[in-house]
Amino acid sequence: MPRKESNDVEKLISLLEYMANGINQNERRTEDVYSLGLLQPLMQGYPYLGFTGFSMRPYCINHIINDIIINGRQCIIEFGAGISTILISRLIKKNGLNTTVISVDHEDAWAKLINEQLKNEQLCEVATVISIPLRPCDLALDGSLWYAVDLLNLALKDRQFDMAIIDGPPAWEPSKERARYPALPYLIDRLQSRSSVYLDDVNRKGEQDIIERWKKEFGLAFNIAGSSLAWCTLGQAFHTAPIRSHY
Ligand SMILES: C[S@@+](CC[C@H](N)C(=O)[O-])C[C@H]1O[C@@H](n2cnc3c(N)ncnc32)[C@H](O)[C@@H]1O
């Protein structure tokens, strides 16, 4: 293709991407306002939560919480602690569920802060954050660091899980965009026959690449909810997306 035409095509593609992103952003805001409404029973009367740009979107938390209730998930592992950990723990206690959460965080000070909040709300019996530093990892792509596998094995012992929430380690820097890849290769033998797997931030290129790899390598059928949460279920499961139009 002549150079000028090829430049024009590139400009058009980037304009279309920009417009699509704007539409997605507006849609995401609407989903989040709706989901914040649904989450009010886990927010009103509790200590205030500091939602930030690092926090999981309310829509995504809502999707996961629905899965816990509707599909009876009982053994949850999360990578990347925060608001998600606290809201899930509040749900478990409020609904009297027989469910526990282990959340793994690479940042010792952050793990302490979230554990402190869990303690203040008497949620330690349902959830705990374990602090595991990032290290070079045989499962990683691009030489990215991942949670120290020997320490993780020691902490998790022979535990099996029926829900995995992957929202860490941080992967927003281009050089770390596939940093979350090792989670599924690490967890695959620890997943129960009926379980669910979530990867947050799949609006980003790195996470999209991870999902494509996981689909090929593990034969799992991932779906996208709310344009930023990838999910798949193993075994029988009911639908749990907060807004039906995404099916
Ligand atoms: C995407 S965040 C995880 C967010 C968490 N699942 C939630 O819903 O709040 C990934 C990592 O960022 C760090 N992090 C979370 N919130 C932060 C904040 N407000 N400031 C700095 N680091 C933060 C934590 O170490 C966390 O493991």
Side-chain angles (χ1 to χ4, degrees):
M1 199 185 294
R3 192 169 182 74
K4 184 182 170 309
E5 276 178 37
S6 131
N7 280 345
D8 287 348
V9 171
E10 277 168 26
K11 273 187 202 155
L12 183 62
I13 290 172
S14 94
L15 179 67
L16 288 172
E17 278 174 352
Y18 177 78
M19 285 164 64
N21 196 31
I23 293 165
N24 281 342
Q25 257 190 23
N26 280 338
E27 199 174 313
R28 284 203 285 267
R29 284 193 188 116
T30 310
E31 288 166 345
D32 284 339
V33 169
Y34 174 76
S35 296
L36 270 175
L38 294 177
L39 288 169
Q40 284 310 298
L42 297 176
M43 300 177 84
Q44 295 286 339
Y46 291 91
Y48 182 79
L49 292 173
F51 270 97
T52 69
F54 282 81
S55 315
M56 186 178 277
R57 291 178 47 212
Y59 177 85
C60 303
I61 296 176
N62 213 191
H63 195 298
I64 290 169
I65 273 180
N66 285 353
D67 188 13
I68 297 170
I69 299 171
I70 295 172
N71 290 313
R73 308 297 182 198
Q74 294 196 325
C75 308
I76 302 174
I77 180 151
E78 177 184 60
F79 292 110
I83 299 272
S84 50
T85 324
I86 293 170
L87 285 172
I88 290 169
S89 305
R90 286 180 184 174
L91 167 88
I92 294 169
K93 189 164 176 186
K94 189 177 183 96
N95 282 28
L97 305 178
N98 189 21
T99 300
T100 53
V101 184
I102 296 182
S103 188
V104 179
D105 210 278
H106 70 290
E107 191 69 64
D108 195 47
W110 186 255
K112 285 199 174 90
L113 178 73
I114 303 301
N115 272 330
E116 200 56 38
Q117 295 187 9
L118 291 170
K119 193 170 151 214
N120 289 344
E121 295 189 34
Q122 287 90 46
L123 294 170
C124 293
E125 72 272 24
V126 297
T128 184
V129 184
I130 56 173
S131 167
I132 306 270
L134 298 180
R135 298 255 174 83
C137 173
D138 289 345
L139 300 169
L141 303 173
D142 318 316
S144 292
L145 304 181
W146 199 65
Y147 306 98
V149 167
D150 52 339
L151 300 180
L152 206 48
N153 286 340
L154 268 180
L156 300 183
K157 303 192 177 72
D158 57 356
R159 276 174 211 267
Q160 298 270 308
F161 301 98
D162 60 6
M163 176 183 273
I165 305 166
I166 299 149
D167 195 19
W172 53 271
E173 291 172 83
S175 63
K176 298 179 183 166
E177 65 181 9
R178 299 194 295 178
R180 296 176 180 178
Y181 169 78
L184 192 53
Y186 176 79
L187 285 175
I188 195 78
D189 292 333
R190 289 179 177 270
L191 290 178
Q192 295 176 11
S193 54
R194 269 194 77 239
S195 52
S196 53
V197 178
Y198 292 89
L199 175 66
D200 195 24
D201 300 309
V202 288
N203 49 314
R204 303 189 298 209
K205 191 175 145 295
E207 276 74 10
Q208 285 162 10
D209 186 70
I210 291 172
I211 287 298
E212 287 313 309
R213 281 170 182 265
W214 286 352
K215 278 183 184 170
K216 278 194 207 123
E217 289 165 19
F218 302 103
L220 295 177
F222 277 91
N223 304 280
I224 308 291
S227 74
S228 64
L229 183 71
W231 61 274
C232 89
T233 49
L234 283 70
Q236 186 276 333
F238 295 109
H239 287 182
T240 62
I243 300 173
R244 192 176 164 77
S245 60
H246 289 284
Y247 283 110

